[in-house]
Coordinates of all heavy atoms in Angstrom, one line a residue:
F1 N 64.7 -4.4 31.1 CA 64.3 -5.5 32.1 C 65.6 -6.1 32.6 O 66.7 -6.0 32.0 CB 63.5 -6.5 31.4 CG 62.2 -6.0 30.8 CD1 62.2 -5.4 29.6 CD2 61.0 -6.0 31.6 CE1 61.0 -4.9 29.0 CE2 59.8 -5.5 31.0 CZ 59.8 -4.9 29.8
D2 N 65.5 -6.8 33.7 CA 66.7 -7.5 34.3 C 67.1 -8.7 33.5 O 68.3 -9.0 33.4 CB 66.4 -7.9 35.7 CG 66.0 -6.8 36.6 OD1 66.9 -5.8 36.8 OD2 64.9 -6.8 37.2
C3 N 66.1 -9.3 32.9 CA 66.4 -10.5 32.1 C 65.3 -10.8 31.1 O 64.2 -10.1 31.2 CB 66.6 -11.8 33.0 SG 65.1 -12.3 33.8
D4 N 65.5 -11.7 30.2 CA 64.5 -12.1 29.2 C 63.2 -12.6 29.8 O 62.1 -12.3 29.3 CB 65.1 -13.1 28.3 CG 64.2 -13.3 27.0 OD1 63.8 -12.4 26.4 OD2 64.1 -14.5 26.6
F5 N 63.3 -13.3 31.0 CA 62.1 -13.8 31.6 C 61.3 -12.7 32.3 O 60.1 -12.7 32.3 CB 62.5 -15.0 32.6 CG 63.4 -16.0 31.9 CD1 64.7 -16.2 32.3 CD2 62.8 -16.8 30.8 CE1 65.4 -17.2 31.6 CE2 63.6 -17.7 30.2 CZ 64.9 -17.9 30.6
N6 N 62.0 -11.8 33.0 CA 61.3 -10.7 33.6 C 60.6 -9.9 32.5 O 59.5 -9.3 32.7 CB 62.3 -9.8 34.4 CG 62.5 -10.4 35.8 OD1 62.1 -11.5 36.1 ND2 63.3 -9.6 36.6
Q7 N 61.3 -9.8 31.3 CA 60.7 -9.1 30.2 C 59.3 -9.7 29.8 O 58.3 -9.0 29.6 CB 61.6 -9.1 29.0 CG 61.0 -8.3 27.8 CD 61.9 -8.4 26.6 OE1 61.4 -8.3 25.5 NE2 63.2 -8.5 26.7
M8 N 59.3 -11.0 29.8 CA 58.0 -11.6 29.4 C 57.0 -11.6 30.4 O 55.8 -11.8 30.2 CB 58.3 -13.1 29.0 CG 59.3 -13.2 27.8 SD 58.9 -12.1 26.4 CE 60.5 -11.8 25.7
L9 N 57.4 -11.3 31.7 CA 56.4 -11.1 32.8 C 56.1 -9.6 33.0 O 55.4 -9.2 33.9 CB 56.9 -11.7 34.1 CG 56.9 -13.2 34.1 CD1 57.6 -13.7 35.3 CD2 55.5 -13.8 34.0
D10 N 56.7 -8.7 32.1 CA 56.5 -7.3 32.1 C 57.0 -6.7 33.5 O 56.4 -5.8 34.0 CB 55.1 -6.9 31.9 CG 54.9 -5.4 31.4 OD1 55.9 -4.9 30.9 OD2 53.9 -4.8 31.7
L11 N 58.1 -7.2 34.0 CA 58.7 -6.7 35.3 C 59.8 -5.8 34.9 O 61.0 -6.2 34.8 CB 59.1 -7.9 36.2 CG 58.0 -8.8 36.6 CD1 58.6 -10.1 37.3 CD2 57.0 -8.1 37.6
K12 N 59.5 -4.5 34.7 CA 60.6 -3.6 34.3 C 61.5 -3.3 35.4 O 61.2 -3.6 36.6 CB 59.9 -2.3 33.8 CG 59.0 -2.4 32.6 CD 58.4 -1.1 32.3 CE 57.4 -1.2 31.0 NZ 56.2 -2.0 31.3
V13 N 62.7 -2.9 35.1 CA 63.8 -2.6 36.1 C 63.3 -1.7 37.2 O 62.5 -0.8 36.9 CB 65.1 -2.1 35.4 CG1 65.8 -3.1 34.6 CG2 64.8 -0.9 34.5
A14 N 63.8 -1.9 38.4 CA 63.4 -1.1 39.5 C 64.3 0.1 39.7 O 65.1 0.2 40.7 CB 63.5 -2.0 40.8
C15 N 64.3 1.0 38.7 CA 65.0 2.2 38.8 C 64.4 3.2 37.9 O 63.5 2.9 37.1 CB 66.5 2.1 38.6 SG 66.9 1.6 36.9
G16 N 64.8 4.4 37.9 CA 64.2 5.5 37.0 C 64.5 5.3 35.6 O 63.7 5.7 34.7
S17 N 65.5 4.5 35.2 CA 65.9 4.3 33.8 C 65.2 3.1 33.3 O 65.8 2.0 33.1 CB 67.4 4.1 33.7 OG 67.9 4.0 32.4
K18 N 63.9 3.2 33.0 CA 63.1 2.1 32.6 C 63.0 1.9 31.1 O 62.5 0.9 30.6 CB 61.6 2.2 33.2 CG 61.6 2.1 34.7 CD 60.2 2.1 35.2 CE 60.1 2.2 36.7 NZ 60.7 1.0 37.3
H19 N 63.5 2.9 30.3 CA 63.4 2.9 28.9 C 64.7 3.4 28.3 O 65.4 4.2 28.9 CB 62.2 3.8 28.4 CG 61.9 3.6 27.0 ND1 62.5 4.3 26.0 CD2 61.0 2.8 26.4 CE1 62.0 3.9 24.8 NE2 61.1 3.0 25.0
L20 N 65.0 2.9 27.1 CA 66.2 3.3 26.4 C 66.3 4.8 26.3 O 67.4 5.4 26.2 CB 66.3 2.6 25.1 CG 66.7 1.1 25.1 CD1 66.5 0.6 23.7 CD2 68.2 1.0 25.5
G21 N 65.2 5.5 26.1 CA 65.1 6.9 26.0 C 65.6 7.7 27.2 O 65.9 8.9 27.1
E22 N 65.7 7.0 28.3 CA 66.2 7.6 29.6 C 67.3 6.7 30.2 O 67.5 6.6 31.4 CB 65.1 7.8 30.6 CG 64.3 6.5 30.8 CD 62.9 6.8 31.4 OE1 62.4 7.9 31.4 OE2 62.3 5.8 31.8
F23 N 68.2 6.1 29.3 CA 69.2 5.2 29.7 C 70.2 5.9 30.6 O 70.8 6.9 30.3 CB 69.9 4.6 28.5 CG 70.8 3.5 28.8 CD1 70.4 2.2 28.6 CD2 72.1 3.7 29.2 CE1 71.2 1.1 28.9 CE2 72.9 2.6 29.5 CZ 72.5 1.3 29.3
N24 N 70.4 5.3 31.8 CA 71.4 5.9 32.8 C 72.2 4.7 33.4 O 71.7 4.0 34.2 CB 70.6 6.6 33.9 CG 71.6 7.3 34.9 OD1 72.5 6.7 35.4 ND2 71.3 8.6 35.1
A25 N 73.4 4.6 32.9 CA 74.2 3.4 33.3 C 74.4 3.3 34.8 O 74.4 2.3 35.4 CB 75.5 3.4 32.6
S26 N 74.6 4.5 35.4 CA 74.9 4.5 36.9 C 73.7 4.0 37.6 O 73.8 3.2 38.6 CB 75.2 6.0 37.3 OG 75.4 6.0 38.7
E27 N 72.5 4.4 37.3 CA 71.2 3.9 37.9 C 71.1 2.4 37.7 O 70.7 1.7 38.6 CB 70.0 4.7 37.3 CG 69.8 6.0 37.9 CD 68.4 6.6 37.5 OE1 67.7 5.9 36.7 OE2 68.1 7.7 37.9
L28 N 71.3 2.0 36.5 CA 71.1 0.6 36.1 C 72.1 -0.3 36.8 O 71.7 -1.4 37.3 CB 71.2 0.4 34.6 CG 70.0 1.0 33.8 CD1 70.3 1.1 32.4 CD2 68.8 0.1 34.0
V29 N 73.3 0.1 37.0 CA 74.3 -0.8 37.6 C 74.1 -0.8 39.2 O 74.7 -1.7 39.8 CB 75.7 -0.4 37.2 CG1 76.2 0.8 38.1 CG2 76.7 -1.6 37.3
N30 N 73.4 0.1 39.7 CA 73.1 0.2 41.1 C 71.7 -0.2 41.5 O 71.4 -0.1 42.7 CB 73.4 1.6 41.6 CG 74.9 1.9 41.7 OD1 75.7 1.3 42.4 ND2 75.3 2.8 40.8
R31 N 70.9 -0.7 40.6 CA 69.6 -1.1 40.9 C 69.5 -2.4 41.7 O 70.4 -3.1 41.8 CB 68.8 -1.2 39.6 CG 69.1 -2.5 38.8 CD 68.6 -2.5 37.4 NE 68.7 -3.9 36.8 CZ 69.8 -4.4 36.3 NH1 70.9 -3.6 36.3 NH2 69.8 -5.6 35.7
D32 N 68.3 -2.6 42.3 CA 68.0 -3.9 42.8 C 67.3 -4.7 41.7 O 66.4 -4.3 41.1 CB 67.0 -3.8 44.0 CG 67.6 -3.1 45.2 OD1 68.8 -3.0 45.2 OD2 66.8 -2.8 46.1
I33 N 67.8 -6.0 41.5 CA 67.2 -6.8 40.5 C 65.9 -7.5 41.0 O 65.9 -7.9 42.1 CB 68.2 -7.9 40.1 CG1 69.5 -7.3 39.4 CG2 67.6 -9.0 39.2 CD1 70.6 -8.3 39.2
I34 N 64.9 -7.4 40.2 CA 63.6 -7.9 40.6 C 63.6 -9.5 40.5 O 63.9 -10.0 39.5 CB 62.5 -7.4 39.7 CG1 62.3 -5.9 39.9 CG2 61.1 -8.0 40.0 CD1 61.4 -5.2 38.9
V35 N 63.2 -10.1 41.6 CA 63.1 -11.6 41.6 C 61.7 -12.0 42.0 O 61.0 -11.3 42.6 CB 64.1 -12.2 42.6 CG1 65.6 -11.8 42.2 CG2 63.8 -11.7 44.1
N36 N 61.4 -13.2 41.5 CA 60.1 -13.8 41.8 C 60.2 -15.3 41.8 O 61.4 -15.8 41.6 CB 59.0 -13.3 40.8 CG 57.6 -13.2 41.5 OD1 57.1 -14.3 41.9 ND2 57.0 -12.0 41.5
Q37 N 59.2 -16.1 41.9 CA 59.3 -17.5 42.0 C 59.8 -18.2 40.8 O 60.4 -19.3 40.9 CB 57.9 -18.1 42.3 CG 57.3 -17.6 43.7 CD 58.2 -17.9 44.9 OE1 59.1 -17.1 45.1 NE2 57.9 -18.9 45.6
H38 N 59.7 -17.6 39.6 CA 60.2 -18.2 38.4 C 61.7 -18.3 38.4 O 62.4 -19.0 37.7 CB 59.7 -17.5 37.1 CG 60.2 -16.0 37.1 ND1 59.8 -15.0 37.9 CD2 61.1 -15.4 36.3 CE1 60.4 -13.9 37.6 NE2 61.2 -14.1 36.6

């Protein structure tokens, strides 16, 4: 997740590397961070 708060809202990262089993640093550093009203 992008942050602890997104984690508690179940807003997983917006890229293919959504789980540690498929960790891809390049994808993660180039992702768009999910934002919402919180």
Side-chain angles (χ1 to χ4, degrees):
F1 303 84
D2 300 303
C3 70
D4 192 44
F5 306 115
N6 278 8
Q7 181 185 150
M8 300 313 151
L9 291 171
D10 199 27
L11 298 171
K12 298 179 180 68
V13 287
C15 68
S17 183
K18 294 184 185 299
H19 191 273
L20 284 169
E22 50 199 15
F23 192 97
N24 184 309
S26 179
E27 281 189 357
L28 287 163
V29 80
N30 288 293
R31 75 193 190 280
D32 291 348
I33 295 169
I34 296 174
V35 298
N36 210 300
Q37 299 302 79
H38 64 289

